[in-house]
Amino acid sequence: MRFLLLSLFFLAFSSSSVNADWWDDFTAGVSEKLKSVTGELKTVEMMGRWNGDSSIDLSLHNNLSFSSAANWVKETAGPAVRDKFNSVKETLQDPETHKQAKEWINEKAEAASEFAQTEILPELKKIYEAATAETTTNKNKRR
């Protein structure tokens, strides 16, 4: 048991000190794919021009759009998502958040219990009484 706790502590401590993780790999991968699309478009356009095919006209604007998107993913979107994730993680790890959540759950549970006592149980009792009344009536008729 002690070994398990020490292992978990070590994993938690070591993972928090690493900067590059799966999210960085993901955003870098998306960025590279978008950049490769830009390269492929340039190749298709050059091949079309070389073959004399004027129908293949990929403007420089399209190439810049993919390149801009790649930079935006890597430099803006990725860090923004990471910052939001870290903010939410800190909020969830805050003991005050757990206290507030527990209080909210208790309030809702009390309200649900009160509703069940005042609204649901009387109706269920009526249904039960109606069902048992018919059963006893049918037994009396058979005798």
Side-chain angles (χ1 to χ4, degrees), residues 2 6 8 10 12 23 36 44 48 50-51 55 57 62 68 77 80 85 90 96 113-114 124 127 129-130 135 138:
R2 186 181 293 183
L6 288 172
L8 289 173
F10 176 74
W23 182 250
S36 73
V44 168
W50 184 65
N51 289 330
S55 65
D57 184 21
N62 287 338
S68 297
F85 173 79
E90 288 173 9
E96 187 63 30
S113 175
E114 183 180 325
L124 288 176
I127 293 169
E129 289 172 352
T135 304
N138 287 340

Side-chain angles (χ1 to χ4, degrees), residues 2-138:
R2 186 181 293 183
F3 176 74
L4 179 64
L5 289 174
L6 288 172
S7 298
L8 289 173
F9 176 75
F10 176 74
L11 286 173
F13 181 76
S14 64
S15 67
S16 64
S17 64
V18 176
N19 289 331
D21 61 358
W22 70 270
W23 182 250
D24 293 334
D25 292 342
F26 175 75
T27 55
V30 169
S31 177
E32 289 303 315
K33 293 294 182 190
L34 288 171
K35 286 180 181 177
S36 73
V37 167
T38 302
E40 291 171 10
L41 287 175
K42 287 180 182 177
T43 303
V44 168
E45 184 177 21
M46 286 179 10
M47 291 300 290
R49 287 182 183 166
W50 184 65
N51 289 330
D53 188 354
S54 61
S55 65
I56 301 177
D57 184 21
L58 303 173
S59 68
L60 182 61
H61 174 71
N62 287 338
N63 294 335
L64 290 176
S65 295
F66 283 110
S67 182
S68 297
N71 291 335
W72 179 82
V73 165
K74 191 171 185 175
E75 296 169 4
T76 305
V81 170
R82 176 175 298 288
D83 291 344
K84 187 63 173 180
F85 173 79
N86 287 339
S87 171
V88 169
K89 183 174 75 170
E90 288 173 9
T91 301
L92 291 175
Q93 291 175 346
D94 182 16
E96 187 63 30
T97 301
H98 288 281
K99 181 181 174 187
Q100 291 172 353
K102 190 174 184 179
E103 290 172 0
W104 183 84
I105 290 170
N106 286 336
E107 289 174 11
K108 298 303 176 186
E110 288 174 13
S113 175
E114 183 180 325
F115 176 76
Q117 292 292 328
T118 59
E119 300 292 329
I120 297 174
L121 289 179
E123 296 301 320
L124 288 176
K125 186 177 179 183
K126 290 177 188 176
I127 293 169
Y128 176 76
E129 289 172 352
T132 57
E134 185 164 323
T135 304
T136 56
T137 304
N138 287 340

